């Protein structure tokens, strides 16, 4: 969010929390992209704020509640208030438990074990979410539109388009088992809590093979994940690289350091394709 929007979003979160008798004298911005993550003090609540109508917080709340009840490694909703989406001043706000971060880094093995536990819990949750190919289709539409990605060179546009198309086809042809997935279980969505690793940001949940999730984590983590199909994982990594690169070329994308990452992800994709074809 841009600076004026951040001010309004913070104000909306404060109004919501205060209206629920949660004391707020200070706020700290923990993350800012298309959504805002805040720590509210002294009540010590983690707030997620998005533009109303552009979020899927309701599904996230339901999935998070069911996974937490099953003991899956996910952040819990704030227990002192009703678990629902609150709206103020054009913003949607959800309230979650705040966790202190551990000083010890999460090892690749612990990261992989947490993801395995998450997938085991998700396999038992039946909820309507998009298929992973729906997310790919969004990236394809972005790449296909010169109006929506005006800065993308024709050669890069063709690279992204062909990769998204070919890798999706290859993954679908394998007919691998599919289930509920996190959608983006990268390190930015992993809390290193004192009690152990916890996943956050469940609004990206989708259905697909677990290898699609594994494509978002470092290789030393996926190597520790039991039963992964390594050939399928390689295809998913190429697909995810192309998707992420496409999103960075959207002028409305608010990912930090977008101008750097839009070029870096294209370079990573070319290098990965060269290794695959070598």
């Amino acid at each position: 969010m841009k600076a004026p929007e951040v001010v309004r979003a913070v104000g909306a979160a404060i109004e919501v929390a205060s209206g629920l008798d949660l004391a707020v004298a200070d706020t700290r911005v923990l993350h800012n992209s298309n959504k805002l993550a805040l720590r509210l003090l002294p009540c010590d609540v983690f707030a997620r704020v998005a533009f109303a109508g552009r979020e899927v917080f309701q599904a996230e709340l339901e999935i998070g509640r069911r996974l937490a009840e099953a003991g899956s490694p996910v952040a819990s909703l704030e227990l002192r208030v009703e678990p629902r989406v609150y709206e103020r001043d054009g913003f949607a706000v959800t309230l979650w438990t705040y966790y202190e971060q551990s000083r010890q880094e999460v090892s690749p093995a612990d990261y992989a074990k947490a993801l395995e536990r998450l997938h085991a819990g998700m396999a038992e949750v039946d909820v309507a979410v998009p298929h992973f190919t729906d997310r790919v289709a969004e990236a394809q539409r972005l790449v296909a539109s010169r109006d929506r990605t005006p800065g993308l060179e024709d050669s890069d546009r063709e690279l992204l388009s062909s990769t998204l198309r070919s890798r999706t086809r290859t993954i679908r042809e394998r007919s691998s088992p599919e289930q509920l997935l996190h959608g983006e279980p990268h390190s930015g969505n992993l809390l290193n809590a004192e009690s152990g690793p916890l996943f956050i940001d469940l609004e990206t949940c989708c259905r697909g093979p677990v290898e699609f999730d594994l494509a978002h984590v470092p290789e030393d983590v996926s190597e520790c994940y039991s039963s992964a199909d390594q050939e399928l994982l390689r295809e998913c990594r190429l697909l995810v690289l192309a998707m992420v690169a496409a999103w960075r070329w959207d002028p409305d994308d608010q990912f930090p350091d977008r101008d750097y990452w839009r070029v870096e992800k294209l370079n990573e994709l070319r290098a990965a394709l060269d290794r695959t074809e070598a």
Side-chain angles (χ1 to χ4, degrees):
M1 295 184 186
K2 298 177 181 178
E5 297 166 340
V6 170
V7 173
R8 289 179 50 228
V10 170
I14 292 174
E15 284 190 26
V16 167
S18 299
L20 296 168
D21 294 327
L22 296 172
V24 183
D26 188 22
T27 60
R28 298 177 186 175
V29 176
L30 304 178
H31 182 71
N32 178 23
S33 57
N34 59 328
K35 296 175 182 63
L36 199 65
L38 300 170
R39 183 182 183 184
L40 308 181
L41 294 166
C43 62
D44 224 8
V45 170
F46 179 80
R48 281 170 48 77
V49 190
F51 295 105
R54 301 188 200 175
E55 87 301 327
V56 287
F57 280 170
Q58 191 59 54
E60 179 182 38
L61 289 177
E62 177 62 16
I63 294 170
R65 180 186 65 79
R66 293 169 67 173
L67 289 174
E69 289 176 352
S72 296
V74 294
S76 298
L77 290 158
E78 170 54 50
L79 301 177
R80 289 171 285 181
V81 300
E82 182 184 354
R84 69 178 181 86
V85 181
Y86 298 87
E87 291 196 14
R88 289 291 190 285
D89 192 26
F91 291 95
V93 181
T94 54
L95 303 175
W96 302 77
T97 300
Y98 177 79
Y99 296 87
E100 290 289 350
Q101 295 274 43
S102 172
R103 295 182 179 180
Q104 186 174 357
E105 290 187 9
V106 179
S107 69
D110 287 342
Y111 194 151
K113 288 178 183 177
L115 189 53
E116 286 182 331
R117 288 178 55 214
L118 179 69
H119 284 155
M122 284 184 154
E124 302 301 319
V125 175
D126 183 16
V127 61
V129 295
H131 195 262
F132 83 95
T133 54
D134 294 328
R135 301 188 64 199
V136 178
E138 292 176 8
Q140 288 174 317
R141 288 191 291 271
L142 188 64
V143 171
S145 173
R146 284 181 168 79
D147 290 338
R148 296 181 63 191
T149 50
L152 194 59
E153 297 289 342
D154 287 347
S155 59
D156 295 332
R157 193 181 302 277
E158 175 56 31
L159 172 68
L160 292 175
S161 180
S162 62
T163 303
L164 290 167
R165 183 174 57 253
S166 63
R167 264 51 204 193
T168 300
R169 182 175 61 250
T170 300
I171 294 167
R172 293 301 299 270
E173 288 174 350
R174 294 184 67 87
S175 301
S176 300
E178 297 185 348
Q179 65 159 78
L180 180 65
L181 304 174
H182 181 286
E184 293 184 8
H186 52 69
S187 58
N189 286 331
L190 183 72
L191 286 179
N192 184 15
E194 294 286 353
S195 58
L198 299 173
F199 289 94
I200 60 172
D201 198 356
L202 298 171
E203 68 166 334
T204 56
C205 284
C206 59
R207 295 195 68 81
V210 295
E211 287 78 9
F212 182 79
D213 262 3
L214 289 171
H216 290 80
V217 306
E219 290 187 11
D220 58 356
V221 173
S222 61
E223 288 171 356
C224 297
Y225 190 102
S226 62
S227 72
D229 182 331
Q230 295 301 319
E231 185 175 344
L232 178 57
L233 176 54
R234 284 192 291 272
E235 295 296 322
C236 287
R237 284 197 183 278
L238 291 169
L239 177 64
V240 168
L241 263 177
M243 292 170 62
V244 173
W247 292 332
R248 299 294 80 86
W249 286 91
D250 183 352
D252 293 330
D253 180 61
Q254 297 185 30
F255 191 83
D257 299 321
R258 180 195 66 188
D259 290 345
Y260 167 79
W261 287 111
R262 59 169 41 173
V263 175
E264 179 64 19
K265 288 302 176 182
L266 281 174
N267 291 338
E268 288 182 23
L269 177 59
R270 289 192 185 90
L273 287 169
D274 288 343
R275 289 194 298 271
T276 300
E277 295 167 1

